Amino acid sequence: MMAVVTVVIARQRNLFAVVILFGIYSFLMATVLVALDAVDVAMTEAAVGAGISTILFLSALHLGKGIEMKPLHRPFLPLVVALATGAALAYGTLGLPAFSDSEAPIHQHVAKRYVEEGARETGVPNIVTAVLASYRGYDTLGEVTVVFTAGIGVIALLRRVRGRRRGGKP
Amino acid sequence: MTAIANHFSYWATLFIAIAGLYIVIARGNLVKKLVGLAIFQTSVYLLYIAPGKLIGGTAPIIADKFAVYSNPLPHVLILTAIVVGVATLALGLAIVVRIKEAYGTIEEDEILAQEQPALQQTADNKM
């Protein structure tokens, strides 16, 4: 189902439809994440991916025209590039551990300790929260810095537009 | 046959990544390009989360009834990635709005067509 939505997004030229389809896609992705036991991530994806991103896209579309131009050149070259990249990556996956392999390196190192000791050390039963706020608190601080910088960037970009418009009028 | 079952999650991820990459390269519309980038990004979420899953495990919230949990570390990393992703998306859309103000279009080809005469003029002036 996600594959179908993705292909339709690629083919659709009405940008409004593309944005709404992207919202549907985000909800489907959230469902997949629930199936993969990542409930916190799924919640964030549903709220941020399907909610805030859609609102951002819609407010940007408000300013432009809603129809994409017909592409001028043939889509063969991009398709070949994308498929070649995909083939190389698919070859690479053959060396990766199998799905749900509990002996895989990802389950052996620090994650094991988080699950075994995290609840006792931090007092938070939800390990994702414990790691996010306690063990890797500096990461979260850095994340907030990035969001803050992006916010400043958006304000700087959009304020200049308004200022120039006001100055341009007699 | 088992190889297919074992690696299906990676290949589903790859399909999404390829679709996103194709949209980014092939489409000239800047908003469409940003949608493509967002799709590519979700493929990275899957790439991180899928190996953390253990069949028979539950979400990593400690309770006495359960002994097997999925790996919490990728979940944390991807939570950060989603939030940073939406921040960069907002920045990208702001830049698109500025481009629209400056050129009156968000199509790459039209922007290039507007740029081309200007570039040629500067080249002529230099000569």
Side-chain angles (χ1 to χ4, degrees):
Chain A
M1 220 158 117
M2 262 174 90
V4 172
V5 174
T6 317
V7 171
V8 174
I9 287 179
R11 296 197 62 86
Q12 179 66 257
R13 289 223 312 281
N14 184 341
L15 289 178
F16 187 74
V18 166
V19 170
I20 298 303
L21 278 172
F22 182 69
I24 295 173
Y25 172 87
S26 288
F27 270 121
L28 286 174
M29 177 57 88
T31 319
V32 171
L33 290 174
V34 170
L36 290 172
D37 287 346
V39 282
D40 305 76
V41 185
M43 217 134 63
T44 316
E45 170 73 14
V48 169
I52 298 177
S53 297
T54 310
I55 292 171
L56 285 174
F57 273 125
L58 283 180
S59 47
L61 277 190
H62 196 63
L63 297 158
K65 58 178 180 191
I67 305 293
E68 187 186 9
M69 216 173 61
K70 218 174 164 129
L72 292 180
H73 18 248
R74 309 291 306 150
F76 284 129
L77 182 65
L79 199 61
V80 168
V81 170
L83 285 180
T85 315
L89 289 173
Y91 176 70
T93 60
L94 293 179
L96 290 176
F99 183 67
S100 182
D101 177 6
S102 60
E103 297 300 313
I106 186 173
H107 296 295
Q108 295 304 320
H109 295 289
V110 66
K112 204 172 174 184
R113 183 166 180 282
Y114 284 154
V115 169
E116 280 164 4
E117 305 285 336
R120 191 178 54 77
E121 283 181 354
T122 63
V124 183
N126 187 339
I127 302 297
V128 175
T129 314
V131 176
L132 187 75
S134 183
Y135 291 112
R136 301 189 72 90
Y138 279 113
D139 273 13
T140 310
L141 186 66
E143 169 194 344
V144 173
T145 313
V146 171
V147 174
F148 181 65
T149 316
I152 288 179
V154 170
I155 291 173
L157 280 169
L158 294 185
R159 248 180 80 187
R160 249 174 69 202
V161 177
R162 214 180 302 142
R164 202 212 263 162
R165 235 192 237 151
R166 211 180 291 144
K169 274 178 193 161
Chain B
M1 201 59 207
T2 49
I4 293 175
N6 285 341
H7 293 90
F8 177 75
S9 67
Y10 295 119
W11 294 340
T13 307
L14 277 183
F15 175 78
I16 298 172
I18 293 169
L21 188 64
Y22 172 74
I23 295 175
V24 172
I25 301 175
R27 296 303 162 142
N29 188 297
L30 294 175
V31 172
K32 193 76 172 283
K33 269 186 200 290
L34 281 174
V35 172
L37 267 185
I39 288 176
F40 196 99
Q41 205 171 22
T42 54
S43 84
V44 178
Y45 304 164
L46 267 189
L47 183 69
Y48 268 64
I49 300 273
K53 161 84 176 165
L54 285 175
I55 289 173
T58 59
I61 300 172
I62 300 295
D64 294 334
K65 281 192 207 162
F66 303 106
V68 182
Y69 302 99
S70 292
N71 194 331
L73 195 56
H75 299 186
V76 176
L77 299 179
I78 294 309
L79 270 180
T80 309
I82 290 178
V83 176
V84 170
V86 82
T88 50
L89 177 71
L91 197 60
L93 282 172
I95 293 174
V96 168
V97 170
R98 280 288 292 140
I99 290 174
K100 168 81 180 164
E101 294 278 337
Y103 291 92
T105 176
I106 50 172
E107 296 288 344
E108 208 174 43
D109 295 324
E110 291 175 9
I111 293 171
L112 281 178
Q114 286 184 25
E115 282 286 301
Q116 221 71 349
L119 283 176
Q120 233 138 43
Q121 231 167 28
T122 47
D124 291 344
N125 287 345
K126 269 178 193 163
M127 274 160 57

